Structure formats: structure tokens, C-alpha cells
Amino acid sequence: MFAYLVRRVGQAMAVVIGVSIIVFFLMHLLPGGERALLGARATPVQVHAFVVANGLNHPIWVQYVDYMGQLLHGNLGYSYHYNESVNSLLAANIPKSALLVGVSVVIALLIALPLGVIQAVRRNSPVDYVFTGASFVGYSMPVFWLGIVLIGWFALDLHWFPAEAPQGAGVGAAFSQPRAMVLPVATLVVVNVALFSRYVRSAALDNLVQDYIRTARAKGIPERVVLLRHMLRNSLIPVVTILGLSMPFIFSGALIVESVFNYPGMGLLFWNAAQIHDYPILVGGTLVVSTAAVVGSLLADLAYAALDPRVRYV
Amino acid sequence: MATTRDPLATRALVERTAAPEGGEAVASRGIWRVILDVFLQNRLAVVGVGIVVFFLLFCFVGPLIYRTTQVVTNLTLIHLAPSSQHLLGTDADGYDELGRLMVGGQTSLEVGLAAAVVATLWGTLWGAVAGFVGGAVDAVMMRIVDSVLAIPPIFLLLFLATAFTPSVSMLIFVVAFVSWVIPARLVRGESLSLRSRDFILAVRGMGSRDRRLVLRHILPNAVGPMIVYATFAVADAILLVAALSFLGLGIPPPAANWGEMLSNGLNYIADGWWWLVYPAGLCIVLVVVAFNFIGDALRDAVEVRLQRR
């Protein structure tokens, strides 16, 4: 197990370095970034001064080594546009995104787990067909369309919830306006329930035909206990893995939800940065989000190894 | 996402669709027949094929019957409600909405299909080589795959789309760039397990070169899972293109695609102009659901190949 842990962490670090190389080179191969940033009226002298000040005149691999050196000191760079360090921008925005994603994933799991189990137990019944169909539709819907249709119904027509997410700095703003959080969270929940419930259903189906379920039933254990204590617990193991692996997709959904509801988190910051070619934010943001995804999948893998006694790694 | 194991879902797919021993592919006409039978038994799949055929006719034959102007704007005709003249009304530029759905669908379907094919072919080749060569080359190639896989697709897309001028071929390239990694992992697993099979040893013993081994013996055995993957990839690609259009990185007018139409139409949600909000969204959902149905059924069908062995 220890050797597995070491190898697995080593791989994760290699992936983070790989991400940094891909992101950095993609970004700096783009032509004319400084021109787009400084505007058409900047004089050649000003452009040159900017290029020199930001070290853009060095060969790209020198720039990369410099960047990584700074990164190891915990410095993600300095935003061109906001005149603020990327660290402080991310520190201000990440907690809000983490709140949005965290709350939606937890709610989605609370819905998807019982739903998937019911579907598996009632396999090929009308209940199963209805929910399977619904999850296909939820999975196939453009996230932004869902978000805006929800705004149309619940904010504009019924006036139940505000159309815009809580504004204002810090996580506190979200707590002071819980009603404004409902629609953004609901949008992400729908998408994630559709994703998770399909996996829970298939995991539950795999477990239902196992011998240990038959044994439990033969011992006269009530069906409810068989399902909850025996089957559900074992079905959770693959769901943990899926959760870890779905991180990049969940973050993607969150970015779109943030721009639909003008939720001032990481995704909105990133999207704005893409519009104004603010490279340090784009590189730093992608690195942080991807690292979070790598760590998520690492934890999921380790949890898998810890939860399932049949899994032995050497 | 570096894992020593493949992701659960993909691993299950690989295991279930593990290729038969070599040579069987030659004598497998009966097996393909069985696959077709199982596929047709799945009613949802038949519905899916029906939807796809409908939209292919709608988008590519439709404009020949329902003739509209989709290049020149007409500002005297903007935001008209559906009528006998314009069956689904008109949009903010005076384009006929139904006619635009047909033209826009062409782009969406073309980009979706092309991106899926490019991604699947490239990923398959990448995975086959990595798994076949093994060792350090494999490790490096798969860490590249893991790195691309770790970057959230929308972040990567935003990145690429700011870098390149929007056009149809750019969209195909960009979407393929984020989706080639999953087939690469699938095929790599397959290729790794095939490498040690007896028939590969036999072919090698007959003096076959590596390139021929990969192209003629490894790849054909991965065809089943790859077709399944490509089907899902079409669905994902259509959704990704729609998301890109919403984020303002679609193809500029007068070209149209469903995502572009939808995100433009959503500006009018407060005006009650439903014909700009729902039809384009419905088209996307229907086509994406259809490809997912077909993919699901194909997966089951390919699985049969194993059970009948």
C-alpha cells in the first residue's frame, strides 16, 4: 500500500507539471497578446516596455523556468488587468466557487443515491424508465440553457427567487442572501444528479446480483436493511471514484453557471480574463483548478483502495 | 488524473468489450449479425436512430423545401411571432427561425461528427502506440493524456478559442483537442492486454514489423469500443460547441449553429419570445439524447460479442 501511495503521488505530481507545461506553452504561443491587452493606440515603445517588463522577450522555455521558479515560492504572477496579484484574486474567488460546487455536489449526491438505488431495484419498471429518461435529458441539456430557463420561470414569471447570484465579496455574501443561491445551485444539482444517478444505478445493479445479497436475504434480513446496509454501502465505492474523476466536468459546469448567474467566483474571473487576454490569471487559474482535479482523483483512488478490501495494490 | 487503474467507467467498458482472440475478427460475420439484432431490440436505440435520421433530413434536405434567406438580414422583419409566413417566427436579425434551425443544425452536426471522428482516430492511434511500445514511452505518452484530462474541458476550450480565429475547422480542432484523451486511455488498456496475447507473438514470429502489427492486428480489435466512444463523443461535442457559443466564442454571423442561436435567443427570455428560446434548445437536447441512446445500445450490443464467445 505504501509503495502504491508513493507511486500514485509521484504520478499526480508529474501530471501537475504536465498541465503547467501544456497551459504555459499554449498561452505564450498566442501571438499579439500584449497588443490586444494594451489596445490599438499603444505606441511601439509602450508595447516594447511592456514586453521587457514582463520578460516576454526571453525564449519561451526561459519564461517557463522563471514562472515555475516563482510558482515554487507560491507566487502565481500578477494580473495585467486588475493590477493585483493572481494569488489574492484567486484567494478572493476560490472560496465562493468551492461553496457553490460543494453545496451542489452534496445535494446532488443526496438525491442521486436513493434515486439510483430505486431505479436499480425497480429495474425496467415505469419508475426506472421515467428516471432514466429524465437523467438522459438532464445530462443532454446545455447547462446555460437550463440556467436561463430556470431564471425565466422562477425569477421573471413567478418572482420566487432573484435572477442574480449573491454579489459582494467573500463567502459571507452567499450566506446573507440564501434565496439568491437557490437557482445557481439548482442548475448544477440537476446536471450532477443526471450524471451521478446513472453511475449509482449501474453500481447498484452490479451489486444486486452478488452472492452476498442472496445470502443476506436467505438469512431473513429485512429487504430494507439488505438494501441500505449491504448493497448501498458497496455501491458507494465506485461512486467515490466517479466523483473524483468527474471533478474537471463539475468545474466546467460551475464556470458556465457562474457566468449565467453572474456569480463572482473563480469561473467568472477566468471567463473575464479570457475576454481581456489576462494571461497570468488564465495560467494561474487553470493550474489551480487542474491541480484540484488531480488531487480529487488522487483522493478518490486512495479512498477506493481503503474502502474496498478486495483491492490490493503493490 | 494519473491512475494506475483506468477510470472505473472506462475500465468497465474496456473489460466488457475486450477484444476476442486474433483471427476471430475475420470469421465474425455472424457476430456482427448478432450485434445488429441486439441493437435493434433496444427500443430507445431505434428511437435514437430515428431522431438522428430525422434531423439529418431536416437540416440537409429541409432547406431545399422550406426556402429562406439566411445570409442577408432584414430589419423590417425582426422578432415576428410564428405565423403562416414564418412558421417559427423570426429572430433579432430578421432571419426566419425555422430555416435558421436547419442551416444552424448543419454546422452543429458537422462539427459534432467531425470532432468525434478526429478525436477518436487520433486518440485510438495514440493509445495503441503507447500500449504497444510500453515502458518509458508509454509512461510519457500517458502522462500527457492524464494532463489534458485533468484540465476542465471548458477552461481548455476557452483557452484555445481565444487563441484561434473562430471558424468551423477551428471548432472541430478545438473540440477534438479536449476529447481525444478518453479513447487514448481506452485503447491503451486494450493494446496493453493484446500485446501479450499468443496471436501477436505468432504474427511477430512471422516477421511482421511493428507498424503493421499496430495497424493490422491491434487496432481492428479496438473497433467495437471505439465506435461506442465515438457515438458518445458526437453528443459531447455538440454540447461543447453550444457552450462555446454561449461563452461568446462561436462562429461569427451570418454562419449559424444551434448553440449560437440559443445563446442569442436567451437574451429575450424576459420578452416572452419563446420561439427564440425553446426550439434551438430542444434540437440540441433531442440530438444529444439520441446519440446517447445509440451509444448505450451499441455498448450493450458490443458486449454481446463477449457473451457469445
Side-chain angles (χ1 to χ4, degrees):
Chain A
M1 183 69 200
F2 182 71
Y4 169 69
L5 187 75
V6 170
R7 201 178 64 215
R8 196 60 193 72
V9 171
Q11 277 181 350
M13 283 161 66
V15 171
V16 172
I17 293 172
V19 169
S20 74
I21 293 175
I22 292 174
V23 171
F24 192 88
F25 279 75
L26 271 179
M27 184 61 68
H28 287 258
L29 288 175
L30 312 189
E34 57 276 359
R35 178 53 80 177
L37 185 73
L38 296 174
R41 283 199 279 170
T43 63
V45 176
Q46 286 170 321
V47 172
H48 182 70
F50 179 84
V51 165
V52 172
N54 288 283
L56 299 177
N57 51 343
H58 296 302
I60 186 158
W61 62 271
V62 174
Q63 292 183 41
Y64 176 74
V65 171
D66 285 349
Y67 183 81
M68 290 310 278
Q70 288 296 314
L71 196 63
L72 289 178
H73 290 90
N75 181 4
L76 283 166
Y78 199 80
S79 159
Y80 302 152
H81 178 78
Y82 294 94
N83 198 22
E84 199 178 338
S85 78
V86 175
N87 291 44
S88 72
L89 282 168
L90 292 182
N93 285 284
I94 286 178
K96 307 194 72 171
S97 290
L99 179 76
L100 177 69
V101 170
V103 170
S104 338
V105 166
V106 169
I107 297 179
L109 276 178
L110 289 178
I111 298 174
L113 285 173
L115 200 64
V117 171
I118 292 172
Q119 283 179 267
V121 173
R122 300 265 158 82
R123 184 186 193 181
N124 293 342
S125 73
V127 182
D128 183 24
Y129 286 133
V130 167
F131 285 122
T132 302
S135 71
F136 263 115
V137 171
Y139 184 76
S140 308
M141 215 174 335
V143 181
F144 64 93
W145 187 49
L146 176 65
I148 291 180
V149 166
L150 287 183
I151 290 180
W153 292 346
F154 295 104
L156 300 177
D157 290 348
L158 296 170
H159 298 287
W160 286 0
F161 305 108
E164 198 178 42
Q167 300 298 305
V171 181
F175 286 110
S176 62
Q177 295 157 278
R179 280 163 54 87
M181 284 293 284
V182 172
L183 289 182
V185 168
T187 309
L188 271 184
V189 165
V190 170
V191 178
N192 288 337
V193 165
L195 179 68
F196 296 156
S197 67
R198 287 178 65 191
Y199 288 114
V200 176
R201 179 180 178 271
S202 72
L205 276 179
D206 284 348
N207 273 294
L208 271 177
V209 296
Q210 298 288 321
D211 288 343
Y212 74 88
I213 294 285
R214 196 183 324 164
T215 309
R217 282 181 180 149
K219 286 196 297 185
I221 297 174
E223 185 67 13
R224 195 171 52 87
V225 179
V226 172
L227 291 183
L228 290 182
R229 192 170 300 165
H230 296 247
M231 198 265 296
L232 183 60
R233 277 173 67 169
N234 282 300
S235 307
L236 280 178
I237 298 173
V239 173
V240 168
T241 310
I242 289 301
L243 200 60
L245 294 173
S246 307
M247 282 302 188
F249 300 95
I250 296 171
F251 287 137
S252 289
L255 185 146
I256 291 181
V257 166
E258 287 184 12
S259 52
V260 167
F261 291 93
N262 197 26
Y263 183 93
M266 173 80 198
L268 197 60
L269 177 75
F270 189 90
W271 183 62
N272 287 330
Q275 308 295 309
I276 53 179
H277 297 259
D278 200 334
Y279 295 159
I281 295 185
L282 292 180
V283 176
T286 310
L287 265 180
V288 168
V289 173
S290 309
T291 309
V294 171
V295 171
S297 99
L298 177 67
L299 289 179
D301 257 19
L302 298 181
Y304 189 94
L307 285 174
D308 191 340
R310 290 168 303 184
V311 180
R312 283 281 165 267
Y313 293 110
V314 270
Chain B
M1 275 179 291
T3 46
T4 43
R5 300 171 289 108
D6 272 336
L8 196 80
T10 49
R11 187 185 53 173
L13 184 64
V14 170
E15 278 171 4
R16 287 180 197 162
T17 53
E21 291 284 351
E24 202 158 316
V26 185
S28 63
R29 187 166 294 146
I31 286 173
W32 289 108
R33 186 65 191 272
V34 173
I35 290 177
L36 184 68
D37 285 349
V38 172
F39 181 80
L40 290 178
Q41 276 165 20
N42 188 325
R43 285 200 204 127
L44 286 181
V46 178
V47 171
V49 171
I51 295 176
V52 170
V53 170
F54 169 78
F55 272 103
L56 286 176
L57 291 174
F58 174 78
C59 295
F60 291 96
V61 182
L64 303 177
I65 299 160
Y66 186 78
R67 290 178 179 278
T68 53
T69 310
Q70 295 297 337
V71 179
V72 185
T73 59
N74 185 344
L75 296 182
T76 58
L77 293 177
I78 60 170
H79 300 317
L80 295 181
S83 65
S84 55
Q85 294 268 296
H86 301 283
L87 295 180
L88 272 176
T90 59
D91 70 4
D93 296 314
Y95 294 127
D96 180 276
E97 184 75 2
L98 183 61
R100 202 149 183 80
L101 280 177
M102 296 170 175
V103 178
Q106 292 179 0
T107 316
S108 289
L109 288 170
E110 280 166 9
V111 173
L113 289 167
V117 169
V118 171
T120 307
L121 287 181
W122 175 245
T124 301
L125 197 60
W126 186 278
V129 170
F132 182 78
V133 176
V137 176
D138 175 39
V140 170
M141 285 175 87
M142 292 322 286
R143 288 303 82 72
I144 294 175
V145 167
D146 289 339
S147 305
V148 176
L149 206 52
I151 305 175
I154 287 285
F155 285 71
L156 199 52
L157 281 176
L158 267 180
F159 227 110
L160 292 167
T162 43
F164 301 99
T165 337
S167 70
V168 170
S169 46
M170 179 282 281
L171 273 186
I172 293 171
F173 164 77
V174 162
V175 172
F177 187 86
V178 301
S179 39
W180 63 275
V181 285
I182 294 177
R185 293 189 72 140
L186 283 168
V187 174
R188 184 252 181 186
E190 190 105 322
S191 165
L192 208 57
S193 75
L194 284 172
R195 194 168 61 145
S196 53
R197 296 277 191 88
D198 290 342
F199 80 92
I200 292 291
L201 200 65
V203 176
R204 208 193 274 280
M206 286 186 266
S208 172
R209 277 175 306 166
D210 281 355
R211 197 178 63 184
R212 186 183 162 82
L213 255 176
V214 170
L215 291 181
R216 293 295 296 275
H217 298 278
I218 303 266
L219 284 185
N221 276 303
V223 164
M226 284 311 99
I227 292 175
V228 174
Y229 172 76
T231 315
F232 288 125
V234 177
D236 290 345
I238 291 175
L239 279 180
L240 281 175
V241 172
L244 267 183
S245 305
F246 171 71
L247 295 170
L249 300 163
I251 312 163
N257 75 75
W258 287 338
E260 194 88 44
M261 295 174 64
L262 186 54
S263 39
N264 289 336
L266 290 177
N267 294 325
Y268 305 108
I269 183 102
D271 298 307
W273 296 334
W274 58 267
W275 60 93
L276 298 182
V277 176
Y278 296 102
L282 214 60
C283 288
I284 295 179
V285 171
L286 280 175
V287 169
V288 173
V289 165
F291 276 105
N292 277 323
F293 281 165
I294 298 173
D296 250 27
L298 280 175
R299 181 161 56 196
D300 291 350
V302 172
E303 212 173 301
V304 168
R305 190 168 68 161
L306 259 195
Q307 291 164 358
R308 287 297 174 95
R309 247 200 307 166

